Amino acid sequence: MPLTHEEILRYSRHLLIPEVGLNGQEKLKAASALIIGTGGLGSPVSLYLAAAGVGRIGLVDYDSVDSSNLQRQIVHGSSTVGKLKVESARARLLDLNPGIQVDTYNVPFTAANALEIAAPYDILIDGTDNFPTRYLTNDVAVLLGKALVYGSIYRFDGQASVFDARRGPCYRCLFPEPPPPGLVPTCAEGGVLGILPGTIGTIQATEALKLILGIGDALIGRLLLYNALDMSFDFVNLRKNPACRICGENAEIKELVDYEAFCGVPGHDHETGTAGAEWDLVAPELARWLTGENPPLLLDVREPHELAISALPGALNIPLGALAARLSELDSAREMVVFCKAGTRSARALELLVSAGFQRVKNLRGGINAWAREVDLSLPVY
Amino acid sequence: MKTKILFFATLRDKTGTRATEVELAPGATLANLKEMLIAQFPALDAQLMQHCLAAINHEYRFDADEIPAAAEIAFFPPVSGG
């Protein structure tokens, strides 16, 4: 695909590198990449691929921009809060580079639509925020015979690799089974350093560009492990798992499966905030109960540093991770309401309490954030 | 034989450390080491350890693999954020 004079000027700094040059820039113009997720990782990946002149970029996301996204999701802005993420990102990418094509898919990426959406693209890029969609994205790449540029983040730690089952291991070779629900916190629960997806996302964008240009050593068969606190970059040499269920010697997975059932969690990282209708209590109900004759004990299962953001007076704080070891501090005869930030950790705490014999427990649906929205408007939502 | 252990991501939060050293019997496997670490660090969940990726001297290895002398073992949990 020949470049116009305007494009030659725009990409001048690329054309000066012998490894890219005019020929490489034409390859970028002819290339296509599908970015699954327009969040923390999808932001830098899409911005840099657009700036680099990748001719066709697909964006998949069903979500809208929220102000709590902007600490890291830099493709969006304050002016696009409330707008669809794919539209917010598309406008920004076309402002950065009007010469490219940006396709948007405002749908959840699921087993029902994933193969069809991904088929036309040369490269897939994983910017998802949950295990079901990660396994789905991996399986789509293996079944379609495409390279998948992987990235994943938590607090200060990031991982990146290139999975290409034709030439090396896939995600399932490393992690054959997802962790049991609740063992690995999402960013919505555990938080993430805002710059971390920038570091990992720009590495993913670099790998995507190298694959398109056919230069350098791709991260195939190697897993990069980054820690921002240590400022350490470690590499692990990977190998194909002969027992891998989708790319091993006796691969049995020939089509997409039910990934939410496989992982036991929903395909998004929004907090559901519920422990099930019979266990839930809504904030206004709790407010009435607390002013009545027999108020319940309030059990706050958040981390101690979260109490500085918002707190309920008189609540006992036992972080979820310490609860199993501190059950003796609780009176099982007394009625109790468990809460956290948004109701996910407290739902897990409730499960633990019920299995330990506590019966008179309720979950504050939506957590202290729901309380802040519906009862005490002086408290912040975080 | 002395063996150096490195923890990453959530494993650091759970163990409260990024590195430790253990004494292993010759012929010990990764599975043996995992059992030992779970006993040593009560906050390490046995299920989570089963789902971690383990590397011996920067090479991805499986549970049945033996640990050589003077090895450095690293454990990486899956992370899901994006």
Side-chain angles (χ1 to χ4, degrees):
Chain A
M1 237 184 238
L3 301 185
T4 63
H5 283 193
E6 195 188 330
E7 285 171 328
I8 287 173
L9 180 60
R10 173 180 282 264
Y11 303 119
S12 159
R13 300 301 184 274
H14 267 169
L15 305 185
L16 291 166
I17 313 175
E19 288 80 356
V20 183
L22 192 61
N23 183 252
Q25 195 62 47
E26 287 171 357
K27 281 186 193 168
L28 292 173
K29 186 176 177 180
S32 60
L34 181 71
I35 305 170
I36 300 131
T38 310
L41 294 171
S43 287
V45 173
S46 61
L47 283 166
Y48 273 109
L49 293 190
V54 171
R56 183 182 178 194
I57 294 174
L59 304 173
V60 192
D61 209 308
Y62 65 92
D63 213 351
S64 301
V65 180
D66 183 270
S67 64
S68 69
N69 300 148
L70 298 178
Q71 160 256 25
R72 64 199 178 284
Q73 301 182 13
I74 56 168
V75 76
H76 310 297
S78 297
S79 65
T80 62
V81 167
K83 298 213 165 103
L84 292 176
K85 280 190 173 176
V86 289
E87 291 307 327
S88 162
R90 183 170 184 274
R92 175 77 184 95
L93 298 183
L94 290 178
D95 179 45
L96 185 59
N97 191 347
I100 60 166
Q101 177 185 334
V102 180
D103 311 327
T104 57
Y105 304 91
N106 178 40
V107 287
F109 195 60
T110 69
N113 61 19
L115 291 170
E116 195 187 331
I117 292 175
Y121 294 89
D122 300 334
I123 291 177
L124 308 185
I125 298 170
D126 185 349
T128 65
D129 61 7
N130 63 85
F131 287 116
T133 319
R134 285 192 186 282
Y135 280 95
L136 166 66
T137 302
N138 178 71
D139 292 2
V140 166
V142 176
L143 294 175
L144 292 176
K146 294 179 193 289
L148 169 65
V149 184
Y150 161 79
S152 191
I153 52 171
Y154 173 73
R155 289 192 172 173
F156 296 99
D157 283 271
Q159 306 178 346
S161 189
V162 175
F163 298 127
D164 186 340
R166 299 164 298 181
R167 297 192 273 170
C170 79
Y171 183 68
R172 280 184 187 263
C173 292
L174 272 67
F175 300 113
E177 301 281 335
L183 267 189
V184 176
T186 66
C187 290
E189 292 163 52
V192 61
L193 183 72
I195 307 162
L196 180 69
T199 308
I200 298 299
T202 48
I203 286 168
Q204 288 179 280
T206 307
E207 288 304 304
L209 240 64
K210 283 163 55 187
L211 289 173
I212 294 167
L213 295 170
I215 59 173
D217 290 321
L219 263 180
I220 294 173
R222 286 186 295 156
L223 178 68
L224 165 69
L225 298 137
Y226 168 68
N227 180 278
L229 290 179
D230 301 346
M231 199 43 76
S232 61
F233 290 83
D234 287 277
F235 290 90
V236 173
N237 292 318
L238 304 174
R239 50 180 176 160
K240 236 178 152 63
N241 184 344
C244 179
R245 290 177 61 207
I246 194 160
C247 78
E249 288 154 12
N250 299 304
E252 71 205 79
I253 299 174
K254 307 285 185 199
E255 56 186 27
L256 301 179
V257 300
D258 180 342
Y259 294 90
E260 295 193 334
F262 175 57
C263 297
V265 292
H268 56 73
D269 82 338
H270 287 212
E271 298 197 86
T272 53
T274 175
E278 69 272 39
W279 299 104
D280 278 352
L281 185 71
V282 295
E285 270 183 82
L286 176 61
R288 280 193 291 279
W289 193 3
L290 286 172
T291 52
E293 279 185 12
N294 293 303
L297 171 76
L298 291 174
L299 177 62
D300 182 347
V301 295
R302 295 175 300 160
E303 299 300 310
H305 64 268
E306 295 179 72
L307 271 63
I309 307 165
S310 59
L312 297 185
L316 174 67
N317 177 224
I318 303 180
L320 176 60
L323 186 59
R326 291 177 61 184
L327 289 175
S328 61
E329 295 175 34
L330 299 169
D331 176 2
S332 64
R334 177 143 180 222
E335 293 200 280
M336 187 163 36
V337 175
V338 192
F339 71 95
C340 63
K341 170 187 153 226
T344 305
R345 281 172 285 172
S346 56
R348 260 179 237 130
L350 186 132
E351 247 177 71
L352 194 157
L353 289 166
V354 170
S355 66
F358 289 78
Q359 283 301 324
R360 311 182 72 185
V361 282
K362 290 279 182 191
N363 175 51
L364 174 57
R365 191 156 105 202
I368 196 168
N369 276 351
W371 180 272
R373 285 193 188 97
E374 295 161 33
V375 177
D376 184 354
L377 303 182
S378 73
L379 287 181
V381 172
Y382 70 108
Chain B
M1 55 186 190
K2 277 211 186 316
T3 306
K4 190 176 181 193
I5 316 291
L6 302 174
F7 296 116
F8 286 81
T10 44
L11 299 180
R12 288 188 181 183
D13 304 338
K14 287 179 187 288
T15 59
T17 182
R18 39 187 289 208
T20 187
E21 212 171 60
V22 297
E23 189 67 36
L24 283 180
T29 63
L30 265 179
N32 299 142
L33 173 63
K34 283 184 181 176
E35 283 167 26
M36 206 169 156
L37 292 171
I38 291 161
Q40 189 179 339
F41 298 97
L44 276 187
D45 190 287
Q47 276 187 306
L48 180 60
M49 286 303 279
Q50 275 321 309
H51 289 84
C52 283
L53 184 151
I56 302 178
N57 298 329
H58 298 273
E59 299 285 336
Y60 173 41
R61 289 288 179 260
F62 303 112
D63 269 8
D65 287 324
E66 274 188 28
I67 297 168
E72 181 185 275
I73 321 278
F75 289 101
F76 312 96
V79 293
S80 69

